[in-house]
Short mmCIF file of all heavy atoms in Angstrom, two decimals:
data_model
loop_
_atom_site.label_atom_id
_atom_site.label_comp_id
_atom_site.label_asym_id
_atom_site.label_seq_id
_atom_site.Cartn_x
_atom_site.Cartn_y
_atom_site.Cartn_z
N GLY A 90 -198.58 -2.88 61.59
CA GLY A 90 -197.22 -2.96 61.05
C GLY A 90 -197.18 -3.52 59.64
O GLY A 90 -196.23 -3.25 58.88
N LEU A 91 -198.18 -4.30 59.27
CA LEU A 91 -198.17 -4.93 57.95
C LEU A 91 -198.35 -3.91 56.83
O LEU A 91 -198.09 -4.21 55.66
CB LEU A 91 -199.27 -6.00 57.85
CG LEU A 91 -199.21 -7.12 58.90
CD1 LEU A 91 -200.31 -8.14 58.66
CD2 LEU A 91 -197.85 -7.81 58.89
N LYS A 92 -198.80 -2.71 57.19
CA LYS A 92 -198.96 -1.66 56.17
C LYS A 92 -197.63 -1.30 55.52
O LYS A 92 -197.58 -0.76 54.43
CB LYS A 92 -199.59 -0.40 56.80
CG LYS A 92 -201.03 -0.63 57.20
CD LYS A 92 -201.71 0.61 57.70
CE LYS A 92 -203.21 0.31 57.88
NZ LYS A 92 -203.89 1.33 58.67
N ASN A 93 -196.55 -1.64 56.21
CA ASN A 93 -195.21 -1.34 55.71
C ASN A 93 -194.59 -2.51 54.93
O ASN A 93 -193.44 -2.45 54.49
CB ASN A 93 -194.32 -1.00 56.92
CG ASN A 93 -193.10 -0.21 56.53
OD1 ASN A 93 -193.14 0.53 55.54
ND2 ASN A 93 -192.04 -0.37 57.27
N PHE A 94 -195.35 -3.59 54.78
CA PHE A 94 -194.87 -4.83 54.13
C PHE A 94 -194.24 -4.51 52.77
O PHE A 94 -194.82 -3.79 51.94
CB PHE A 94 -196.07 -5.76 53.93
CG PHE A 94 -195.74 -7.22 53.78
CD1 PHE A 94 -195.91 -8.11 54.84
CD2 PHE A 94 -195.27 -7.72 52.57
CE1 PHE A 94 -195.63 -9.47 54.69
CE2 PHE A 94 -194.98 -9.08 52.42
CZ PHE A 94 -195.17 -9.95 53.49
N ASN A 95 -193.03 -5.01 52.56
CA ASN A 95 -192.27 -4.82 51.30
C ASN A 95 -191.62 -3.44 51.18
O ASN A 95 -190.85 -3.22 50.25
CB ASN A 95 -193.15 -4.98 50.06
CG ASN A 95 -193.24 -6.41 49.57
OD1 ASN A 95 -192.65 -7.30 50.16
ND2 ASN A 95 -193.99 -6.64 48.51
N HIS A 96 -191.94 -2.51 52.07
CA HIS A 96 -191.43 -1.16 51.90
C HIS A 96 -190.08 -0.98 52.57
O HIS A 96 -189.64 -1.81 53.37
CB HIS A 96 -192.46 -0.13 52.41
CG HIS A 96 -193.73 -0.17 51.61
ND1 HIS A 96 -193.84 0.41 50.37
CD2 HIS A 96 -194.92 -0.76 51.85
CE1 HIS A 96 -195.06 0.18 49.89
NE2 HIS A 96 -195.73 -0.53 50.78
N PHE A 97 -189.42 0.12 52.25
CA PHE A 97 -188.06 0.40 52.67
C PHE A 97 -187.86 0.21 54.19
O PHE A 97 -188.59 0.80 54.98
CB PHE A 97 -187.69 1.84 52.28
CG PHE A 97 -186.28 2.22 52.62
CD1 PHE A 97 -185.20 1.53 52.05
CD2 PHE A 97 -186.01 3.24 53.51
CE1 PHE A 97 -183.90 1.87 52.37
CE2 PHE A 97 -184.70 3.58 53.83
CZ PHE A 97 -183.64 2.90 53.26
N MET A 98 -186.89 -0.63 54.54
CA MET A 98 -186.52 -0.91 55.93
C MET A 98 -187.59 -1.65 56.74
O MET A 98 -187.48 -1.75 57.97
CB MET A 98 -186.14 0.39 56.68
CG MET A 98 -184.95 1.12 56.12
SD MET A 98 -183.38 0.26 56.40
CE MET A 98 -182.95 0.90 58.01
N SER A 99 -188.58 -2.18 56.07
CA SER A 99 -189.61 -2.94 56.79
C SER A 99 -189.02 -4.26 57.28
O SER A 99 -188.18 -4.85 56.60
CB SER A 99 -190.78 -3.24 55.85
OG SER A 99 -191.68 -4.12 56.49
N PRO A 100 -189.44 -4.74 58.46
CA PRO A 100 -189.03 -6.09 58.85
C PRO A 100 -189.70 -7.16 57.98
O PRO A 100 -189.28 -8.31 57.97
CB PRO A 100 -189.50 -6.20 60.30
CG PRO A 100 -190.56 -5.18 60.46
CD PRO A 100 -190.29 -4.09 59.47
N PHE A 101 -190.75 -6.74 57.28
CA PHE A 101 -191.55 -7.71 56.50
C PHE A 101 -191.30 -7.55 55.01
O PHE A 101 -191.67 -6.53 54.42
CB PHE A 101 -193.04 -7.50 56.79
CG PHE A 101 -193.37 -7.40 58.25
CD1 PHE A 101 -194.01 -6.29 58.76
CD2 PHE A 101 -193.04 -8.43 59.12
CE1 PHE A 101 -194.32 -6.19 60.11
CE2 PHE A 101 -193.34 -8.35 60.48
CZ PHE A 101 -193.98 -7.22 60.98
N GLY A 102 -190.67 -8.54 54.42
CA GLY A 102 -190.47 -8.55 52.98
C GLY A 102 -191.18 -9.75 52.38
O GLY A 102 -191.85 -10.50 53.07
N MET A 103 -190.96 -9.93 51.10
CA MET A 103 -191.63 -11.01 50.38
C MET A 103 -191.30 -12.39 50.97
O MET A 103 -192.07 -13.32 50.86
CB MET A 103 -191.18 -10.94 48.92
CG MET A 103 -191.99 -11.75 47.97
SD MET A 103 -191.33 -11.57 46.30
CE MET A 103 -191.85 -9.92 45.90
N HIS A 104 -190.09 -12.49 51.57
CA HIS A 104 -189.67 -13.74 52.20
C HIS A 104 -189.30 -13.45 53.66
O HIS A 104 -188.67 -12.43 53.93
CB HIS A 104 -188.47 -14.34 51.44
CG HIS A 104 -188.76 -14.55 49.97
ND1 HIS A 104 -188.36 -13.64 49.01
CD2 HIS A 104 -189.43 -15.51 49.32
CE1 HIS A 104 -188.78 -14.07 47.82
NE2 HIS A 104 -189.43 -15.20 47.98
N PRO A 105 -189.65 -14.34 54.58
CA PRO A 105 -189.52 -14.00 56.01
C PRO A 105 -188.07 -14.01 56.52
O PRO A 105 -187.30 -14.91 56.17
CB PRO A 105 -190.34 -15.09 56.71
CG PRO A 105 -190.34 -16.24 55.77
CD PRO A 105 -190.26 -15.67 54.39
N ASP A 106 -187.73 -13.05 57.34
CA ASP A 106 -186.39 -12.90 57.90
C ASP A 106 -186.46 -13.14 59.41
O ASP A 106 -187.04 -12.35 60.15
CB ASP A 106 -185.89 -11.49 57.59
CG ASP A 106 -184.48 -11.22 58.12
OD1 ASP A 106 -184.02 -11.96 59.04
OD2 ASP A 106 -183.84 -10.28 57.63
N SER A 107 -185.86 -14.25 59.85
CA SER A 107 -185.99 -14.65 61.26
C SER A 107 -185.32 -13.68 62.22
O SER A 107 -185.63 -13.67 63.41
CB SER A 107 -185.40 -16.05 61.48
OG SER A 107 -184.00 -16.02 61.24
N LEU A 108 -184.40 -12.87 61.72
CA LEU A 108 -183.72 -11.92 62.62
C LEU A 108 -184.56 -10.65 62.79
O LEU A 108 -184.25 -9.81 63.61
CB LEU A 108 -182.32 -11.57 62.10
CG LEU A 108 -181.35 -12.75 61.94
CD1 LEU A 108 -179.96 -12.27 61.56
CD2 LEU A 108 -181.27 -13.58 63.22
N LYS A 109 -185.61 -10.51 61.97
CA LYS A 109 -186.41 -9.29 62.04
C LYS A 109 -187.87 -9.53 62.40
O LYS A 109 -188.54 -8.62 62.90
CB LYS A 109 -186.35 -8.57 60.68
CG LYS A 109 -184.96 -8.05 60.37
CD LYS A 109 -184.90 -7.35 59.03
CE LYS A 109 -183.48 -6.91 58.72
NZ LYS A 109 -183.29 -6.72 57.29
N VAL A 110 -188.36 -10.71 62.10
CA VAL A 110 -189.79 -10.97 62.32
C VAL A 110 -189.98 -11.77 63.60
O VAL A 110 -189.52 -12.91 63.71
CB VAL A 110 -190.40 -11.75 61.12
CG1 VAL A 110 -191.88 -12.03 61.37
CG2 VAL A 110 -190.19 -10.99 59.82
N LYS A 111 -190.64 -11.17 64.57
CA LYS A 111 -190.92 -11.82 65.85
C LYS A 111 -191.76 -13.08 65.61
O LYS A 111 -192.77 -13.02 64.91
CB LYS A 111 -191.70 -10.85 66.73
CG LYS A 111 -191.24 -10.77 68.16
CD LYS A 111 -191.89 -9.60 68.85
CE LYS A 111 -192.55 -9.99 70.14
NZ LYS A 111 -193.31 -8.91 70.74
N GLY A 112 -191.34 -14.17 66.17
CA GLY A 112 -192.10 -15.40 66.03
C GLY A 112 -191.67 -16.26 64.85
O GLY A 112 -192.10 -17.40 64.73
N CYS A 113 -190.82 -15.69 63.99
CA CYS A 113 -190.34 -16.45 62.82
C CYS A 113 -189.06 -17.18 63.21
O CYS A 113 -188.08 -16.54 63.60
CB CYS A 113 -190.10 -15.50 61.65
SG CYS A 113 -189.26 -16.28 60.26
N ASP A 114 -189.08 -18.50 63.10
CA ASP A 114 -187.94 -19.28 63.56
C ASP A 114 -186.79 -19.32 62.55
O ASP A 114 -185.63 -19.41 62.93
CB ASP A 114 -188.38 -20.72 63.86
CG ASP A 114 -189.25 -20.81 65.11
OD1 ASP A 114 -188.89 -20.16 66.11
OD2 ASP A 114 -190.28 -21.49 65.07
N VAL A 115 -187.11 -19.34 61.27
CA VAL A 115 -186.07 -19.55 60.26
C VAL A 115 -186.33 -18.64 59.06
O VAL A 115 -187.47 -18.53 58.58
CB VAL A 115 -186.04 -21.03 59.80
CG1 VAL A 115 -185.07 -21.24 58.65
CG2 VAL A 115 -185.67 -21.94 60.97
N SER A 116 -185.27 -18.02 58.55
CA SER A 116 -185.36 -17.23 57.32
C SER A 116 -185.43 -18.19 56.14
O SER A 116 -184.63 -19.11 56.04
CB SER A 116 -184.12 -16.36 57.15
OG SER A 116 -183.95 -15.51 58.25
N THR A 117 -186.37 -17.94 55.26
CA THR A 117 -186.52 -18.82 54.10
C THR A 117 -186.83 -17.99 52.86
O THR A 117 -187.02 -16.78 52.94
CB THR A 117 -187.66 -19.83 54.32
OG1 THR A 117 -188.82 -19.10 54.72
CG2 THR A 117 -187.31 -20.89 55.33
N GLY A 118 -186.89 -18.64 51.74
CA GLY A 118 -187.17 -17.96 50.48
C GLY A 118 -186.62 -18.76 49.31
O GLY A 118 -187.30 -18.95 48.31
N SER A 119 -185.39 -19.25 49.48
CA SER A 119 -184.84 -20.13 48.46
C SER A 119 -185.42 -21.52 48.70
O SER A 119 -185.32 -22.06 49.80
CB SER A 119 -183.31 -20.15 48.56
OG SER A 119 -182.80 -21.00 47.59
N LEU A 120 -186.02 -22.09 47.69
CA LEU A 120 -186.76 -23.35 47.88
C LEU A 120 -185.82 -24.53 48.12
O LEU A 120 -184.70 -24.56 47.65
CB LEU A 120 -187.67 -23.60 46.68
CG LEU A 120 -188.74 -22.52 46.48
CD1 LEU A 120 -189.53 -22.77 45.20
CD2 LEU A 120 -189.67 -22.43 47.68
N GLY A 121 -186.34 -25.48 48.88
CA GLY A 121 -185.57 -26.69 49.17
C GLY A 121 -184.66 -26.55 50.37
O GLY A 121 -183.83 -27.43 50.62
N HIS A 122 -184.77 -25.47 51.13
CA HIS A 122 -183.91 -25.28 52.29
C HIS A 122 -184.58 -25.66 53.62
O HIS A 122 -183.90 -25.94 54.59
CB HIS A 122 -183.45 -23.81 52.39
CG HIS A 122 -182.41 -23.45 51.37
ND1 HIS A 122 -181.18 -22.97 51.70
CD2 HIS A 122 -182.44 -23.51 50.01
CE1 HIS A 122 -180.48 -22.74 50.60
NE2 HIS A 122 -181.22 -23.06 49.57
N GLY A 123 -185.90 -25.61 53.65
CA GLY A 123 -186.59 -25.76 54.94
C GLY A 123 -186.47 -27.13 55.55
O GLY A 123 -186.29 -27.25 56.77
N LEU A 124 -186.57 -28.17 54.75
CA LEU A 124 -186.56 -29.53 55.33
C LEU A 124 -185.20 -29.89 55.94
O LEU A 124 -185.17 -30.42 57.07
CB LEU A 124 -187.01 -30.55 54.27
CG LEU A 124 -187.57 -31.86 54.82
CD1 LEU A 124 -188.74 -31.64 55.77
CD2 LEU A 124 -187.98 -32.80 53.68
N PRO A 125 -184.07 -29.59 55.25
CA PRO A 125 -182.78 -29.85 55.91
C PRO A 125 -182.63 -29.08 57.23
O PRO A 125 -182.17 -29.64 58.22
CB PRO A 125 -181.75 -29.36 54.88
CG PRO A 125 -182.45 -29.51 53.56
CD PRO A 125 -183.89 -29.18 53.84
N ILE A 126 -183.03 -27.82 57.24
CA ILE A 126 -182.90 -27.04 58.48
C ILE A 126 -183.82 -27.63 59.55
O ILE A 126 -183.43 -27.79 60.72
CB ILE A 126 -183.25 -25.55 58.24
CG1 ILE A 126 -182.27 -24.94 57.24
CG2 ILE A 126 -183.23 -24.76 59.56
CD1 ILE A 126 -182.63 -23.52 56.80
N GLY A 127 -185.04 -27.99 59.15
CA GLY A 127 -185.98 -28.60 60.09
C GLY A 127 -185.44 -29.89 60.66
O GLY A 127 -185.59 -30.17 61.85
N LEU A 128 -184.76 -30.66 59.81
CA LEU A 128 -184.17 -31.91 60.29
C LEU A 128 -183.10 -31.63 61.34
O LEU A 128 -183.03 -32.30 62.37
CB LEU A 128 -183.59 -32.71 59.11
CG LEU A 128 -182.83 -33.98 59.48
CD1 LEU A 128 -183.72 -34.96 60.23
CD2 LEU A 128 -182.25 -34.64 58.23
N GLY A 129 -182.29 -30.59 61.08
CA GLY A 129 -181.28 -30.20 62.06
C GLY A 129 -181.91 -29.81 63.38
O GLY A 129 -181.43 -30.18 64.46
N MET A 130 -183.03 -29.08 63.31
CA MET A 130 -183.71 -28.67 64.54
C MET A 130 -184.31 -29.87 65.27
O MET A 130 -184.32 -29.93 66.51
CB MET A 130 -184.79 -27.63 64.21
CG MET A 130 -184.19 -26.33 63.70
SD MET A 130 -185.40 -25.23 62.94
CE MET A 130 -185.88 -24.24 64.32
N ALA A 131 -184.79 -30.83 64.50
CA ALA A 131 -185.39 -32.04 65.09
C ALA A 131 -184.32 -32.91 65.73
O ALA A 131 -184.49 -33.40 66.86
CB ALA A 131 -186.16 -32.82 64.02
N ILE A 132 -183.21 -33.09 65.04
CA ILE A 132 -182.11 -33.88 65.62
C ILE A 132 -181.58 -33.14 66.85
O ILE A 132 -181.27 -33.75 67.89
CB ILE A 132 -180.98 -34.11 64.58
CG1 ILE A 132 -181.47 -35.05 63.47
CG2 ILE A 132 -179.74 -34.70 65.25
CD1 ILE A 132 -180.49 -35.23 62.31
N GLY A 133 -181.51 -31.81 66.74
CA GLY A 133 -181.06 -30.99 67.87
C GLY A 133 -181.94 -31.18 69.09
O GLY A 133 -181.45 -31.26 70.22
N ALA A 134 -183.25 -31.28 68.86
CA ALA A 134 -184.18 -31.49 69.98
C ALA A 134 -183.86 -32.79 70.69
O ALA A 134 -183.88 -32.86 71.93
CB ALA A 134 -185.62 -31.50 69.46
N LYS A 135 -183.55 -33.83 69.91
CA LYS A 135 -183.24 -35.13 70.53
C LYS A 135 -181.93 -35.05 71.33
O LYS A 135 -181.85 -35.59 72.43
CB LYS A 135 -183.17 -36.22 69.47
CG LYS A 135 -184.55 -36.49 68.88
CD LYS A 135 -184.62 -37.81 68.13
CE LYS A 135 -186.00 -37.98 67.50
NZ LYS A 135 -186.66 -39.23 67.88
N ILE A 136 -180.94 -34.36 70.76
CA ILE A 136 -179.66 -34.21 71.47
C ILE A 136 -179.88 -33.45 72.78
O ILE A 136 -179.32 -33.79 73.81
CB ILE A 136 -178.62 -33.50 70.58
CG1 ILE A 136 -178.20 -34.40 69.41
CG2 ILE A 136 -177.38 -33.08 71.40
CD1 ILE A 136 -177.34 -33.73 68.37
#
Side-chain angles (χ1 to χ4, degrees):
Chain A
L91 303 182
K92 291 185 172 166
N93 201 29
F94 202 102
N95 272 0
H96 297 282
F97 182 61
M98 298 289 273
S99 172
F101 312 122
M103 193 180 288
H104 304 98
D106 181 340
S107 65
L108 301 186
K109 294 180 183 158
V110 179
K111 224 169 128 187
C113 170
D114 290 316
V115 174
S116 302
T117 51
S119 179
L120 298 175
H122 286 238
L124 203 56
I126 298 173
L128 175 60
M130 293 167 92
I132 292 174
K135 292 197 183 235
I136 291 171

